[in-house]
Amino acid sequence: MSDMLVNLLKLPPLDPVIEAMRRESVVVRRATPSEITPVRRFVERHFTRAWADEISVGYTNKPVSVYLAIRGGEVIGFSAYECTRRAFFGPTGVAEHERGKGIGHALLLASLHGLAQMGYAYGIIGGVGPADFYARAVGATLIPDSTPGVYADPLNDAAPHDSARPPG
């Protein structure tokens, strides 16, 4: 999966998107440190433990660099930035039953505006899946020769085998 580049100086405005989400009973806001446990549970249940680990870095940033989408007091989506590398967006995800409602778009914009507020002119979306979505939503362009990028050679999350123990 390739990386994409986003011109943060040309982002669409965020406020109208946040207000549109509120009209649909979805609150999009910055996470708080007291929410680490339920957010990690959501990410592990709907996505991967690696992503939950990755966004944990966002909770140590000041301000927190994790955004949440909440409906009825429950997390339905998340996005993060400055977790993997500086100026990187991601990971991000929306619960399957909530997709196609603009929630991912709102989370993307919130995080990219967070990068812009930090002073970055450009942001990187690492290891993209839906490249067409990012191109349409924020004008992101593919970065040539960016595969596998910073996600090369990941550790496996497997339990050690008995054969790994020393004899005796």
Side-chain angles (χ1 to χ4, degrees):
M1 296 185 292
S2 296
D3 296 340
M4 296 184 86
L5 188 67
V6 180
N7 184 340
L8 301 176
L9 303 173
K10 295 184 177 183
L11 289 175
L14 178 59
D15 289 341
V17 174
I18 298 298
E19 285 307 313
M21 288 288 99
R22 281 196 181 275
R23 288 192 296 276
E24 298 298 322
S25 301
V26 176
V27 174
V28 175
R29 64 162 174 77
R30 191 178 300 275
T32 64
S34 63
E35 300 167 326
I36 292 171
T37 299
V39 174
R40 277 191 62 92
R41 281 189 199 127
F42 170 83
V43 176
E44 286 182 21
R45 183 172 53 250
H46 293 275
F47 302 98
T48 68
R49 181 179 294 151
W51 280 12
D53 291 345
E54 201 170 349
I55 68 164
S56 294
V57 174
Y59 282 100
T60 66
N61 292 333
K62 303 282 188 259
V64 171
S65 60
V66 177
Y67 276 87
L68 303 176
I70 302 164
R71 184 192 303 276
E74 298 291 324
V75 177
I76 58 171
F78 75 98
S79 65
Y81 62 96
E82 284 272 307
C83 293
T84 308
R85 296 282 195 280
R86 294 199 183 276
F88 266 65
F89 165 77
T92 186
V94 175
E96 194 169 339
H97 66 280
E98 293 285 356
R99 293 178 189 164
K101 301 176 183 177
I103 297 165
H105 180 252
L107 289 165
L108 169 68
L109 280 181
S111 285
L112 292 179
H113 275 273
L115 281 173
Q117 290 165 358
M118 294 178 76
Y120 292 109
Y122 298 93
I124 299 165
I125 304 171
V128 299
D132 291 341
F133 165 74
Y134 292 119
R136 283 190 317 274
V138 292
T141 58
L142 287 172
I143 300 172
D145 299 322
S146 60
T147 302
V150 299
Y151 300 104
D153 303 321
L155 291 175
N156 290 326
D157 187 22
H161 300 289
D162 287 342
S163 62
R165 283 191 268 162

